[in-house]
Amino acid sequence: MTTHTHKKTIIAALLMLLTCACVSACLRVSADELYQLPQMSEEYMKLQEQINAVLSSGAEYSSLTSGPYRQAVQLYDLDSDGVNEVIAFFSVPSEGALKVYIFKNIDGDYAVAAIIEGMGSAFESVRYIDMDGDGVLEVVVGWQMGAALKLMEIYSIKDYHSVLLAWSEYSNVTVFDLNDNGNYDVIVLRLPTEEAGAFAEVLMMMPDGEIIKAETRLSNGVESISRVLAGRLTDGVPAVFVDSEGRFDDGGAVAMVTDILVYRNGSFENISITGSGGISEDTLRTRMLQCSDINDNGIISVPVPRLLKAQSETNYYAIDWYAFSSDGNSSLSQLSRTARFTYTPEGEPFCISTAFSISATDDSCGALSVVFSAPSFSPLLIASTLWCCTRRSVSSYS
């Protein structure tokens, strides 16, 4: 054996011994150690200590009942420094109070930065929005005061001093940049009472921190709010679309109406109310069809059923989608994407379904192509054409 070959043999043996040593070291890990849960981080433990201190004082976690954020403990960057604050919601039964604790992470250690206190039976909702563009978010809290009464409050937490800026009773609340200045506004909707009809209120923050309010009425006859959708009109103006149900004539059946709310020239207006009756007549419909961004372009359209002529005792309807401009004028929307709807004869509920797929073409006549998979007969309507689909055939009615 040559000297070179001998050296290679020694190196190979050493490598084998090293490998065995490593394997034996791994084998010394016990089964308990292999199944041990990961250790909580030190930051988490410090946060839990702060929360436990609140809980030990008699507080209880309190989840929210509505809105986009419903957890009892939430993470959100409230001051735009790139680090999330921890917002925790508690009820204190002994005090009959509700409390929002904001914990701030300072160099890996959590401390109570601010507390928001209120009264009520539960937290209804919360939103975090920048109303003045300073990078510090305002906290919009909804308190459930009773079975029907809800109270919305807007808090500033600048420098982590909680200050109540404004409040309002509400039935529904949403947030949207209604005046197109890059900052969020709060839109409050209120159902009618014995003293007043249904109305909407917008709350906006001025650069100096002042909150201004403006009101406009909703359609006479509104009894409940079905949906609130924010988007734009055909001329680019921001708007809030309120779908409501109610009886809009004496002794009439329940119908749906869409009120269109805009803020322009320093005035909050419902541009869809026309005539002396105080009703958005152009959006009034007997079918419970909700408005939608039907073309995925940010412009909201309102569906209005139209009775079709047919040699049948059953009434069938087409769905005309109307888009509005800020002066209240409407135009028929040209469908540019696949929409999925089923429509049943008069007297049956309308529903949205994935059973049918309707694709509109660019033809000015509104011709439609239909792809369907129907387990049973269902009439299909959209734009200006009615299609009836069965398992075997497609027929059009005009």
PDB file of all heavy atoms in Angstrom, residues 201-221:
ATOM      1  N   GLU A 201     -75.905  60.493   7.828  1.00  0.00           N
ATOM      2  CA  GLU A 201     -75.047  61.557   8.350  1.00  0.00           C
ATOM      3  C   GLU A 201     -73.603  61.225   8.012  1.00  0.00           C
ATOM      4  O   GLU A 201     -73.182  60.080   8.141  1.00  0.00           O
ATOM      5  CB  GLU A 201     -75.231  61.665   9.867  1.00  0.00           C
ATOM      6  CG  GLU A 201     -74.408  62.754  10.531  1.00  0.00           C
ATOM      7  CD  GLU A 201     -74.622  62.793  12.035  1.00  0.00           C
ATOM      8  OE1 GLU A 201     -74.590  61.707  12.678  1.00  0.00           O
ATOM      9  OE2 GLU A 201     -74.824  63.886  12.577  1.00  0.00           O
ATOM     10  N   VAL A 202     -72.865  62.219   7.538  1.00  0.00           N
ATOM     11  CA  VAL A 202     -71.448  62.029   7.274  1.00  0.00           C
ATOM     12  C   VAL A 202     -70.652  62.851   8.271  1.00  0.00           C
ATOM     13  O   VAL A 202     -71.031  63.982   8.618  1.00  0.00           O
ATOM     14  CB  VAL A 202     -71.081  62.431   5.814  1.00  0.00           C
ATOM     15  CG1 VAL A 202     -71.339  63.902   5.555  1.00  0.00           C
ATOM     16  CG2 VAL A 202     -69.622  62.084   5.512  1.00  0.00           C
ATOM     17  N   LEU A 203     -69.561  62.274   8.787  1.00  0.00           N
ATOM     18  CA  LEU A 203     -68.660  62.956   9.713  1.00  0.00           C
ATOM     19  C   LEU A 203     -67.283  63.010   9.067  1.00  0.00           C
ATOM     20  O   LEU A 203     -66.721  61.976   8.688  1.00  0.00           O
ATOM     21  CB  LEU A 203     -68.582  62.225  11.059  1.00  0.00           C
ATOM     22  CG  LEU A 203     -69.888  62.170  11.871  1.00  0.00           C
ATOM     23  CD1 LEU A 203     -70.688  60.920  11.523  1.00  0.00           C
ATOM     24  CD2 LEU A 203     -69.600  62.194  13.373  1.00  0.00           C
ATOM     25  N   MET A 204     -66.747  64.226   8.916  1.00  0.00           N
ATOM     26  CA  MET A 204     -65.455  64.461   8.282  1.00  0.00           C
ATOM     27  C   MET A 204     -64.554  65.250   9.217  1.00  0.00           C
ATOM     28  O   MET A 204     -65.025  66.100   9.974  1.00  0.00           O
ATOM     29  CB  MET A 204     -65.628  65.238   6.966  1.00  0.00           C
ATOM     30  CG  MET A 204     -66.453  64.524   5.925  1.00  0.00           C
ATOM     31  SD  MET A 204     -66.678  65.551   4.434  1.00  0.00           S
ATOM     32  CE  MET A 204     -67.389  64.356   3.305  1.00  0.00           C
ATOM     33  N   MET A 205     -63.255  64.964   9.149  1.00  0.00           N
ATOM     34  CA  MET A 205     -62.299  65.677   9.986  1.00  0.00           C
ATOM     35  C   MET A 205     -61.558  66.721   9.167  1.00  0.00           C
ATOM     36  O   MET A 205     -61.035  66.429   8.094  1.00  0.00           O
ATOM     37  CB  MET A 205     -61.301  64.709  10.634  1.00  0.00           C
ATOM     38  CG  MET A 205     -60.331  65.397  11.602  1.00  0.00           C
ATOM     39  SD  MET A 205     -59.154  64.253  12.385  1.00  0.00           S
ATOM     40  CE  MET A 205     -60.251  63.340  13.471  1.00  0.00           C
ATOM     41  N   MET A 206     -61.529  67.926   9.683  1.00  0.00           N
ATOM     42  CA  MET A 206     -60.806  69.012   9.051  1.00  0.00           C
ATOM     43  C   MET A 206     -59.321  68.948   9.436  1.00  0.00           C
ATOM     44  O   MET A 206     -58.943  68.259  10.394  1.00  0.00           O
ATOM     45  CB  MET A 206     -61.401  70.354   9.480  1.00  0.00           C
ATOM     46  CG  MET A 206     -62.861  70.538   9.064  1.00  0.00           C
ATOM     47  SD  MET A 206     -63.080  70.651   7.266  1.00  0.00           S
ATOM     48  CE  MET A 206     -63.605  68.969   6.860  1.00  0.00           C
ATOM     49  N   PRO A 207     -58.442  69.668   8.694  1.00  0.00           N
ATOM     50  CA  PRO A 207     -57.006  69.634   9.019  1.00  0.00           C
ATOM     51  C   PRO A 207     -56.684  70.064  10.447  1.00  0.00           C
ATOM     52  O   PRO A 207     -55.677  69.629  11.019  1.00  0.00           O
ATOM     53  CB  PRO A 207     -56.410  70.603   7.991  1.00  0.00           C
ATOM     54  CG  PRO A 207     -57.343  70.547   6.828  1.00  0.00           C
ATOM     55  CD  PRO A 207     -58.706  70.391   7.425  1.00  0.00           C
ATOM     56  N   ASP A 208     -57.529  70.914  11.045  1.00  0.00           N
ATOM     57  CA  ASP A 208     -57.274  71.350  12.418  1.00  0.00           C
ATOM     58  C   ASP A 208     -57.813  70.385  13.459  1.00  0.00           C
ATOM     59  O   ASP A 208     -57.759  70.649  14.661  1.00  0.00           O
ATOM     60  CB  ASP A 208     -57.862  72.751  12.644  1.00  0.00           C
ATOM     61  CG  ASP A 208     -59.382  72.786  12.453  1.00  0.00           C
ATOM     62  OD1 ASP A 208     -59.967  71.729  12.147  1.00  0.00           O
ATOM     63  OD2 ASP A 208     -59.967  73.869  12.612  1.00  0.00           O
ATOM     64  N   GLY A 209     -58.366  69.239  13.023  1.00  0.00           N
ATOM     65  CA  GLY A 209     -58.878  68.244  13.946  1.00  0.00           C
ATOM     66  C   GLY A 209     -60.355  68.362  14.245  1.00  0.00           C
ATOM     67  O   GLY A 209     -60.918  67.487  14.919  1.00  0.00           O
ATOM     68  N   GLU A 210     -61.003  69.413  13.747  1.00  0.00           N
ATOM     69  CA  GLU A 210     -62.434  69.580  13.999  1.00  0.00           C
ATOM     70  C   GLU A 210     -63.235  68.574  13.167  1.00  0.00           C
ATOM     71  O   GLU A 210     -62.933  68.321  12.002  1.00  0.00           O
ATOM     72  CB  GLU A 210     -62.867  70.995  13.640  1.00  0.00           C
ATOM     73  CG  GLU A 210     -64.363  71.238  13.831  1.00  0.00           C
ATOM     74  CD  GLU A 210     -64.817  72.583  13.288  1.00  0.00           C
ATOM     75  OE1 GLU A 210     -63.988  73.288  12.683  1.00  0.00           O
ATOM     76  OE2 GLU A 210     -66.009  72.908  13.468  1.00  0.00           O
ATOM     77  N   ILE A 211     -64.274  68.011  13.789  1.00  0.00           N
ATOM     78  CA  ILE A 211     -65.185  67.110  13.094  1.00  0.00           C
ATOM     79  C   ILE A 211     -66.407  67.905  12.642  1.00  0.00           C
ATOM     80  O   ILE A 211     -67.071  68.567  13.451  1.00  0.00           O
ATOM     81  CB  ILE A 211     -65.638  65.956  13.995  1.00  0.00           C
ATOM     82  CG1 ILE A 211     -64.455  65.069  14.387  1.00  0.00           C
ATOM     83  CG2 ILE A 211     -66.716  65.128  13.305  1.00  0.00           C
ATOM     84  CD1 ILE A 211     -63.982  64.138  13.307  1.00  0.00           C
ATOM     85  N   ILE A 212     -66.706  67.872  11.336  1.00  0.00           N
ATOM     86  CA  ILE A 212     -67.913  68.507  10.827  1.00  0.00           C
ATOM     87  C   ILE A 212     -68.912  67.431  10.444  1.00  0.00           C
ATOM     88  O   ILE A 212     -68.536  66.331  10.048  1.00  0.00           O
ATOM     89  CB  ILE A 212     -67.625  69.438   9.636  1.00  0.00           C
ATOM     90  CG1 ILE A 212     -67.083  68.633   8.442  1.00  0.00           C
ATOM     91  CG2 ILE A 212     -66.650  70.535  10.030  1.00  0.00           C
ATOM     92  CD1 ILE A 212     -67.025  69.437   7.163  1.00  0.00           C
ATOM     93  N   LYS A 213     -70.208  67.765  10.571  1.00  0.00           N
ATOM     94  CA  LYS A 213     -71.273  66.817  10.266  1.00  0.00           C
ATOM     95  C   LYS A 213     -72.222  67.412   9.236  1.00  0.00           C
ATOM     96  O   LYS A 213     -72.416  68.623   9.179  1.00  0.00           O
ATOM     97  CB  LYS A 213     -72.071  66.473  11.532  1.00  0.00           C
ATOM     98  CG  LYS A 213     -71.267  65.822  12.647  1.00  0.00           C
ATOM     99  CD  LYS A 213     -72.175  65.502  13.827  1.00  0.00           C
ATOM    100  CE  LYS A 213     -71.421  64.831  14.960  1.00  0.00           C
ATOM    101  NZ  LYS A 213     -72.327  64.492  16.107  1.00  0.00           N
ATOM    102  N   ALA A 214     -72.793  66.539   8.423  1.00  0.00           N
ATOM    103  CA  ALA A 214     -73.824  66.951   7.482  1.00  0.00           C
ATOM    104  C   ALA A 214     -74.816  65.804   7.342  1.00  0.00           C
ATOM    105  O   ALA A 214     -74.446  64.630   7.440  1.00  0.00           O
ATOM    106  CB  ALA A 214     -73.215  67.313   6.129  1.00  0.00           C
ATOM    107  N   GLU A 215     -76.088  66.140   7.109  1.00  0.00           N
ATOM    108  CA  GLU A 215     -77.135  65.130   7.030  1.00  0.00           C
ATOM    109  C   GLU A 215     -77.874  65.217   5.702  1.00  0.00           C
ATOM    110  O   GLU A 215     -77.915  66.267   5.061  1.00  0.00           O
ATOM    111  CB  GLU A 215     -78.154  65.320   8.172  1.00  0.00           C
ATOM    112  CG  GLU A 215     -77.614  65.080   9.558  1.00  0.00           C
ATOM    113  CD  GLU A 215     -78.688  65.250  10.624  1.00  0.00           C
ATOM    114  OE1 GLU A 215     -79.873  65.503  10.239  1.00  0.00           O
ATOM    115  OE2 GLU A 215     -78.376  65.135  11.815  1.00  0.00           O
ATOM    116  N   THR A 216     -78.480  64.106   5.308  1.00  0.00           N
ATOM    117  CA  THR A 216     -79.407  64.050   4.193  1.00  0.00           C
ATOM    118  C   THR A 216     -80.392  62.925   4.471  1.00  0.00           C
ATOM    119  O   THR A 216     -80.073  61.977   5.197  1.00  0.00           O
ATOM    120  CB  THR A 216     -78.682  63.837   2.851  1.00  0.00           C
ATOM    121  OG1 THR A 216     -79.600  64.035   1.776  1.00  0.00           O
ATOM    122  CG2 THR A 216     -78.101  62.443   2.743  1.00  0.00           C
ATOM    123  N   ARG A 217     -81.565  63.019   3.916  1.00  0.00           N
ATOM    124  CA  ARG A 217     -82.598  62.032   4.198  1.00  0.00           C
ATOM    125  C   ARG A 217     -82.466  60.822   3.282  1.00  0.00           C
ATOM    126  O   ARG A 217     -81.947  60.908   2.163  1.00  0.00           O
ATOM    127  CB  ARG A 217     -83.984  62.648   4.026  1.00  0.00           C
ATOM    128  CG  ARG A 217     -84.244  63.146   2.610  1.00  0.00           C
ATOM    129  CD  ARG A 217     -85.655  63.699   2.476  1.00  0.00           C
ATOM    130  NE  ARG A 217     -85.879  64.277   1.158  1.00  0.00           N
ATOM    131  CZ  ARG A 217     -87.065  64.583   0.664  1.00  0.00           C
ATOM    132  NH1 ARG A 217     -88.146  64.345   1.386  1.00  0.00           N
ATOM    133  NH2 ARG A 217     -87.185  65.111  -0.537  1.00  0.00           N
ATOM    134  N   LEU A 218     -82.970  59.690   3.764  1.00  0.00           N
ATOM    135  CA  LEU A 218     -83.160  58.507   2.939  1.00  0.00           C
ATOM    136  C   LEU A 218     -84.610  58.491   2.443  1.00  0.00           C
ATOM    137  O   LEU A 218     -85.428  59.306   2.870  1.00  0.00           O
ATOM    138  CB  LEU A 218     -82.840  57.241   3.723  1.00  0.00           C
ATOM    139  CG  LEU A 218     -81.411  57.123   4.279  1.00  0.00           C
ATOM    140  CD1 LEU A 218     -81.259  55.820   5.069  1.00  0.00           C
ATOM    141  CD2 LEU A 218     -80.377  57.192   3.174  1.00  0.00           C
ATOM    142  N   SER A 219     -84.927  57.574   1.558  1.00  0.00           N
ATOM    143  CA  SER A 219     -86.266  57.516   0.974  1.00  0.00           C
ATOM    144  C   SER A 219     -87.336  57.317   2.046  1.00  0.00           C
ATOM    145  O   SER A 219     -87.151  56.552   3.005  1.00  0.00           O
ATOM    146  CB  SER A 219     -86.352  56.378  -0.045  1.00  0.00           C
ATOM    147  OG  SER A 219     -85.595  56.667  -1.198  1.00  0.00           O
ATOM    148  N   ASN A 220     -88.449  57.999   1.879  1.00  0.00           N
ATOM    149  CA  ASN A 220     -89.590  57.798   2.765  1.00  0.00           C
ATOM    150  C   ASN A 220     -90.104  56.371   2.617  1.00  0.00           C
ATOM    151  O   ASN A 220     -90.263  55.875   1.505  1.00  0.00           O
ATOM    152  CB  ASN A 220     -90.718  58.779   2.417  1.00  0.00           C
ATOM    153  CG  ASN A 220     -90.359  60.213   2.743  1.00  0.00           C
ATOM    154  OD1 ASN A 220     -89.554  60.473   3.636  1.00  0.00           O
ATOM    155  ND2 ASN A 220     -90.955  61.153   2.020  1.00  0.00           N
ATOM    156  N   GLY A 221     -90.364  55.728   3.733  1.00  0.00           N
ATOM    157  CA  GLY A 221     -90.863  54.364   3.712  1.00  0.00           C
ATOM    158  C   GLY A 221     -89.829  53.315   4.051  1.00  0.00           C
ATOM    159  O   GLY A 221     -90.169  52.133   4.193  1.00  0.00           O
TER     160      GLY A 221
END
